[in-house]
Amino acid sequence: MAVSQEHYGDYHRLPDHAEDSPPEEEEQQLLVHVTEGLKDSWHHIKNLDNFFTKIYHFHQKNGFACMMLSDVFELVQFLFVVTFTTFLFCCVEYDVLFANRPVNHTQPGGGLAPDRGKVTLPDAILPTPQCAERIRASGWIIFLLVMAATFWLYRLGKVLCSLLGYWEIRAFYTKALKIPADELCNRSWQEVQARLISLQREQQMCVHKRELTELDIHHRILRFKNYLVAMVNKSLLPVRFRLPLLGEVVFLTQGLKYNLELLFFWGPGSLFQSKWSLQPQYKRAGSRLQLAQRLGRGMLLLGLANLLLCPFILVWQVLYAFFSYTEVLKREPGSLGARRWSLYGRLYLRHFNELDHELHARLSRGYKPASKYMNSFTSPLLAVLAKNVGFFAGSILAVLIALTVYDEDVLTVQHILTTLTLLGLVVTVARSFIPDEHMVWCPEQLLQCVLAHIHYIPDHWPGNAHKSETREEMAQLFQYKAVFILEELLSPIVTPFLLIFALRARALDIIDFFRNFSVEVVGVGDICSFAQLDIRNHGNPQWLSQGRTEASVYQQAENGKTELSLVHFAITNPRWQPPPESSLFIGHLKEKVQQDAAHAPPAQRLLAQAPFSTSLLSDEGPSTMPDALLASVLAPQAERHFPSRPGSTASAAASILASLSCSQLLRRSYPPPPPPPGENSVYRSDSTLLGDSVAPPESRQAPLSRSSVVLSEFASAEMSLHAIYMHELHQQQQQQPPHPPAPGPAPFQSSAQAASTRPSRAYSQDLPLGGWEEEEAAAMEASQQEREKH
């Protein structure tokens, strides 16, 4: 990486890895080049961030019709909530509805109708003139209606503009990418992305580069999300708090996230002057104190604005939650006891350059293992209390149900329906505290199953999966749905104070973060440097990057984020050519896998145990082949604690990975070393255990079909195996005495605090990148000669 500043931590510019930027005269030629047949359409697109994001959302939301209906129904939904709430407040006579006041039923002729014992809904609804009079008499209601109408008209204008954009993207799919609207659901995003890259060669959508790479497209779609992922990874955002009685809690809601994006990325006075360029003053270290004061004032003003709008936002949150969850709570009282991945968990567990649908699919696969792990913790005292409370409440409920079956007039008794509902809720809640009598206590194995899908866990979790502290930390990532709803309801109240007090205290660190960890990539703009997947500048020596990284503790990503993100991106984008330092890391990982696979049980033997292992890890009996790959590794993991079988999980994962060839990850950099004499070559070669069904993705050009779905599943399984394998090696390295002592992860610090941790020598722009390649080749040659001697 070329560095243009005096010390490493400053903002710098990166050349394009794939191809040098074109000379000025060539760029001028590109500006006037328009492919025949696509004139005045999609050449020289000014805002590629917005364009690529629309292309991605258009694909994920299933085309023009679905997106149009979603936007229209969002407007209708807002209008319905406002209108229905106004009707309930001003147009209903509740004394009549609750039968607290008798009603005279008049006939059209003026006579009194016979007395009726029941009150009908029309009796409780006021006439239109009286309803309008009540609305005009309330100044607050008129004010709220005016605000709602203004917001609705603003949203209407945005929807109309969005519809024009959707139609343009539809035409782009049809004419440029040659994907008809009725076939969009049958095409994978990888195919759409490949066609975008191919189209760039025919006509220059981006005029600053001749070739687009998969990483360029991901940078433009995920530019701001990569910054948020890095800020969470470096513990920069103040979202952790220690409260009395509750202990350590994490608070990050949609409202707070919206304010952070408004403050940093696209709001007035934000750090970015456009969607792809950081403001010039934030790239210089000389004015960091003034910029921190300016950012602090912006946080204060934004917090005061949130405090002013708090009553209105809170009313909307309460109404929306009431209309959304009341019917669900009545129909399924236990639904609020279900769990979901928290917003903080989605940022903590997200890889750099991981698209939304990839993250959603990965966390969905980890939902059942995470639920099993959380449900495996039970309290004997609460179980005894729950059994007895459930017995008493269930007995009363059974009697009331029997009475209503015998005579339905029992339902007319006052509060009988409320009693039935509350008793049903009590029984459901009580049952949730009663453990399954057939459950087997195996928290370590369950946590390993969770790790296979979420890919990130703190270093102190392995070996401590049985502790309540680990479960509480897991609950911060995998929270109850009721906790999520409560946090969103409290968000309008809490968010202003977090912006005014907690976030302002980190203003200087935030300024330093955006300067130190922003790079300018030719043809892409300013991006988070962590998103470059640069092992040299952001690798962690404790995650297989030792000897290949020059990053200080301040520059390293935590929890192996850089290494795991690089592996994930290489697997999901097999055509991508990584930069040299990343290729060296992949080659080193391949060599390590091959070495460990040589001392592991044969892959066929592990897979032969997979059906039995899968039945232990799943509620649904024997599963598919990708699940069997994971099960073959996870099943023997409990044996790793025995001295006779050290590192059995890592060895099993290496054995399966060495035989799996559903992606190019383990075949990209170097050929595998020759197997020792007498060893079966399947564990040292690129042959596959599954035959032609998992051929390399570049050999497949057909639309999304069963084969491409299988490839996606195997890519997910392969990444899960790599996550298990790399975590096992990381744990083994931590258990060994450090030599020399390696600094552990440190909390986020400013550039001034981190100056002492930076390397003393200067990084010049002429630093050669080929030195590592020669050293790697020499090391591989020496290791190969050593094996031949033995």
Side-chain angles (χ1 to χ4, degrees), residues 193 214-222 353 355 569 573:
Q193 184 174 256
E214 293 84 352
L215 192 60
D216 293 336
I217 296 176
H218 282 68
H219 280 334
R220 291 189 174 276
I221 297 175
L222 301 170
N353 300 311
L355 294 171
F569 194 83
N573 299 276

Side-chain angles (χ1 to χ4, degrees), residues 15-50:
D16 181 26
H17 288 297
E19 182 182 28
D20 292 334
S21 56
E24 185 176 353
E25 60 271 11
E26 293 184 8
E27 187 172 336
Q28 294 298 326
Q29 294 178 3
L30 294 176
L31 288 174
V32 299
H33 172 72
V34 181
T35 303
E36 190 67 27
L38 291 175
K39 293 182 178 180
D40 301 325
S41 297
W42 300 285
H43 63 91
H44 188 190
I45 298 173
K46 183 178 180 180
N47 191 345
L48 278 175
D49 282 35
N50 188 39

Side-chain angles (χ1 to χ4, degrees), residues 389-416:
V389 170
F391 172 78
F392 296 132
S395 300
I396 300 174
L397 181 62
V399 171
L400 293 179
I401 292 176
L403 291 175
T404 56
V405 170
Y406 178 76
D407 190 351
E408 63 179 8
D409 289 338
V410 176
L411 295 175
T412 61
V413 177
Q414 191 175 17
H415 303 313
I416 192 65

